[in-house]
Amino acid sequence: MDIIKELGDSRLYNLHSHTQYCDGKARMEEFAEAAAKAGFTHYGYSPHSPICVESDCNMAESDVPVYLAEVDRIKRSAYGEKVKFYASMEIDYLGNHWGPAIPYFQDMPLDYRIGSVHFTPNKHGEFIAIDGAASDFIRKMHDYFSDDIRYVVEKYYEQVHEMIAAGGFDIIGHFDKIGHNGSHYAEGLDHEEWYNDLIDGVIAHIASAGIIAEINTKAKKVHNRFFPDERHWKKVVDAGIPVVVNSDAHHPTLINTDRDYPLNILDGLRGL
Ligand SMILES: [Zn+2]
Ligand SMILES: [Zn+2]
């Protein structure tokens, strides 16, 4: 599916959102109602995918058919007459044995796929969630990563590169997510030269792979940060990467949160 073409010139859309089957805070129908009320043209559900390690945030494999049936029901409901709904997943990448490219996800009848890295392996090969509260991250840095922040950041971006190379997805989710917790652990880390070099490498890889990048607005209100960070938007646009602006909503009141600002900046960068 050509997502960019589907969206046309609409500004009222969201392609990254969560559900009761993962860590979303409301039922899918409540998100559908909110999307219709807000005058959205397009709305994609993207629960955290089933995963091969222990996780409270991810969907159970046994819920996948129920989830897909619920998207179908919503597509055919009265909301579906107003809004175009999509079945997607935010698929975790955990190495070549688990990620968007594996047959399990490729064979799933999804309208499009989001690939995201939320887990980074430590030196013993254990996958550790690097997302979530900064206080947890700081504890994990000590417990699992011997307080080696550069190792974690470099390993995170290594995972991002591997995921892009493996392919099988349309949109890369919040590609610099580690910048947030990383800079909580070591202030200013995400402004250092080596870090910016890592970002430039990822942007070049995304461009050559021909995938879409998102600007993720979920953390703007609470942490005053977009993903990717606003400093990188011009580079992303200049690299010719198609960009969508997603709220990564976990609650129906947040489906359109903080989207206007990046949409306006993108217009400026594109010379519109
Ligand atoms: Zn995510
Ligand atoms: Zn998400």
Side-chain angles (χ1 to χ4, degrees):
M1 176 188 287
D2 185 339
I3 297 160
I4 299 293
K5 204 168 155 194
E6 287 267 317
L7 295 178
D9 57 7
S10 174
R11 295 164 81 89
L12 287 170
Y13 65 85
N14 177 37
L15 300 173
H16 184 159
S17 74
H18 293 276
T19 71
Q20 73 268 34
Y21 296 112
C22 55
D23 60 349
K25 306 293 181 247
R27 288 175 302 111
M28 289 165 65
E29 177 146 357
E30 296 172 72
F31 288 94
E33 186 186 356
K37 256 197 193 133
F40 270 35
T41 54
H42 305 77
Y43 192 86
Y45 293 103
S46 58
H48 290 291
S49 70
I51 200 174
C52 56
V53 296
E54 194 79 13
S55 165
D56 296 336
C57 298
N58 291 67
M59 172 180 222
E61 233 175 292
S62 55
D63 279 335
V64 172
V66 192
Y67 160 65
L68 292 171
E70 180 62 356
V71 184
D72 270 344
R73 190 186 69 78
I74 288 170
K75 282 178 179 177
R76 290 193 309 269
S77 74
Y79 300 124
E81 285 166 27
K82 295 184 179 158
V83 185
K84 194 153 186 195
F85 290 99
Y86 302 104
S88 181
M89 263 187 201
E90 183 179 15
I91 304 170
D92 271 291
Y93 181 81
L94 292 118
N96 280 329
H97 62 292
W98 195 271
I102 68 171
Y104 174 63
F105 291 114
Q106 288 301 303
D107 294 343
M108 213 178 263
L110 298 171
D111 294 313
Y112 63 89
R113 292 164 184 79
I114 299 176
S116 291
V117 174
H118 302 101
F119 294 83
T120 298
N122 67 4
K123 285 177 181 157
H124 308 293
E126 295 169 275
F127 280 88
I128 312 298
I130 51 82
D131 213 354
S135 54
D136 285 343
F137 179 77
I138 289 166
R139 180 181 53 78
K140 286 174 181 174
M141 277 302 302
H142 186 72
D143 291 352
Y144 297 107
F145 293 106
S146 319
D147 286 301
D148 188 346
I149 188 65
R150 185 136 179 183
Y151 170 86
V152 175
V153 170
E154 287 177 346
K155 204 71 190 167
Y156 171 88
Y157 285 112
E158 199 178 297
Q159 294 292 108
V160 170
H161 277 292
E162 276 184 22
M163 179 175 78
I164 298 168
F169 61 100
D170 305 276
I171 303 172
I172 186 161
H174 48 64
F175 71 74
D176 69 341
K177 198 74 192 261
I178 192 69
H180 173 61
N181 274 338
S183 59
H184 264 283
Y185 184 85
E187 205 188 328
L189 162 146
D190 59 334
H191 287 258
E192 289 174 18
E193 198 179 335
W194 64 273
Y195 183 92
N196 284 321
D197 289 347
L198 289 172
I199 292 286
D200 291 348
V202 168
I203 291 172
H205 200 175
I206 293 171
S208 69
I211 51 179
I212 301 166
E214 70 169 2
I215 292 176
N216 186 306
T217 66
K218 180 183 125 188
K220 178 61 182 165
K221 282 240 161 32
V222 187
H223 299 302
N224 195 28
R225 190 177 188 113
F226 293 104
F227 298 102
D229 190 78
E230 188 175 348
R231 286 182 297 130
H232 308 305
W233 296 355
K234 185 174 176 350
K235 287 184 278 185
V236 171
V237 170
D238 287 350
I241 298 166
V243 181
V244 293
V245 177
N246 289 331
S247 63
D248 194 355
H250 287 64
H251 194 282
T253 57
L254 299 175
I255 57 168
N256 199 22
T257 193
D258 291 303
R259 291 182 63 260
D260 280 344
Y261 176 75
L263 283 167
N264 290 337
I265 297 285
L266 283 174
D267 280 352
L269 291 172
R270 290 164 174 156
L272 296 176

